[in-house]
């Protein structure tokens, strides 16, 4: 294999400094990418440049939403009767048709817990036995990590691939052992 010219060293200087204990090796982590296809494509392009890498998904926890609802009743028919009663009173409501709250009534889904609590208190004051449920949210991101140390040659090859593909992505150093062990990566 012919060694490539390193070129502009500014790319390595852009990486945040990571304290390294003796014997610890640093690799590169790039992402996030919205789809697996993007991550796999980058992995293949890196490997064509002799940079062994791995692509992997990671679940990212987002702020939860808050669901105000009336508990499920025994049948769909009973739930529809309750729904019509709410709608006659001009209360925004919807039948929940699936999941653990099937045959319950949705009164609203909120990003802000204070808004959900205000509606909850209002419905309780109107005589409804409303409840609130925190709904967790996640997003799947895809990342690519080099399996080899982030030395000047590796960084130069990675930068060349990123430039060729016009990818403006986060690139940072992580401990190589994190990749090998499959630990939860940053």
């Amino acid at each position: 294999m012919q060694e490539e010219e390193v070129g502009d060293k500014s790319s390595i200087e852009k990486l945040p400094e990571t304290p390294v204990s003796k014997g610890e090796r640093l690799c590169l982590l790039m992402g996030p990418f919205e789809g697996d296809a993007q991550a796999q494509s980058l992995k293949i392009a890196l490997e064509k440049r002799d940079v062994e890498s791995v692509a992997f998904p990671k679940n990212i926890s987002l702020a939860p939403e808050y669901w105000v609802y009336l508990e499920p009743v025994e049948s769909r028919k009973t739930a529809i009767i309750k729904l019509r009663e709410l709608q006659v009173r001009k209360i925004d409501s919807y039948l929940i048709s699936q999941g653990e709250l099937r045959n319950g009534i949705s009164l609203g889904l909120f990003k802000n817990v204070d808004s959900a609590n205000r509606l909850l208190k209002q419905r309780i004051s109107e005589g409804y036995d409303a409840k609130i449920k925190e709904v967790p949210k996640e997003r799947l991101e895809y990342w690519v990590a080099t399996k080899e140390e982030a030395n000047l040659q590796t960084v130069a090859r990675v930068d060349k691939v990123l430039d060729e593909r016009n990818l403006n992505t986060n690139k940072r150093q992580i401990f190589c052992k994190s990749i090998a062990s499959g630990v939860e990566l940053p």
Side-chain angles (χ1 to χ4, degrees):
M1 179 178 96
Q2 192 175 14
E3 198 151 305
E4 293 185 27
E5 200 170 304
V6 174
D8 183 17
K9 293 182 183 180
S10 64
S11 62
I12 190 82
E13 294 168 2
K14 293 177 191 170
L15 295 173
E17 299 232 357
T18 307
V20 181
S21 304
K22 201 168 194 158
E24 297 279 1
R25 294 180 328 121
L26 292 174
C27 292
L28 293 177
L29 178 67
M30 293 154 284
F33 300 99
E34 290 183 17
D36 185 46
Q38 279 183 306
Q40 292 298 334
S41 175
L42 177 58
K43 177 186 180 300
I44 290 166
L46 288 170
E47 289 178 354
K48 285 180 181 175
R49 293 268 183 191
D50 295 321
V51 178
E52 194 176 348
S53 59
V54 60
F56 57 92
K58 179 175 166 86
N59 273 324
I60 304 298
S61 294
L62 303 173
E65 292 183 327
Y66 303 92
W67 197 359
V68 181
Y69 66 95
L70 298 179
E71 291 198 87
V73 291
E74 62 278 352
S75 72
R76 180 175 172 83
K77 185 177 179 179
T78 307
I80 290 171
I81 291 168
K82 186 68 166 174
L83 177 64
R84 286 191 182 134
E85 173 195 316
L86 290 163
Q87 290 175 341
V88 163
R89 295 186 67 191
K90 304 274 189 234
I91 294 175
D92 195 18
S93 51
Y94 301 90
L95 179 65
I96 302 170
S97 60
Q98 56 189 344
E100 67 183 73
L101 296 177
R102 184 170 185 240
N103 293 333
I105 307 290
S106 174
L107 301 173
L109 186 63
F110 299 87
K111 292 181 189 274
N112 182 298
V113 71
D114 294 330
S115 299
N117 281 324
R118 273 193 297 279
L119 180 64
L120 177 71
K121 287 176 186 170
Q122 181 181 355
R123 295 300 174 241
I124 289 173
S125 73
E126 295 168 344
Y128 295 102
D129 189 20
K131 306 277 187 222
I132 193 168
K133 174 183 173 91
E134 186 174 292
V135 180
K137 289 186 71 179
E138 291 184 337
R139 178 182 71 229
L140 195 56
E141 294 179 342
Y142 296 87
W143 294 81
V144 175
T146 63
K147 288 185 175 181
E148 55 192 74
E149 189 170 7
N151 58 32
L152 289 175
Q153 290 80 19
T154 301
V155 171
R157 285 188 235 131
V158 166
D159 285 346
K160 188 160 182 84
V161 170
L162 294 175
D163 288 344
E164 288 171 353
R165 296 175 155 271
N166 201 20
L167 285 175
N168 187 15
T169 185
N170 286 330
K171 179 176 68 174
R172 62 179 178 252
Q173 296 176 334
I174 60 169
F175 290 113
C176 295
K177 70 180 181 183
S178 301
I179 299 163
S181 65
V183 219
E184 189 70 18
L185 294 169

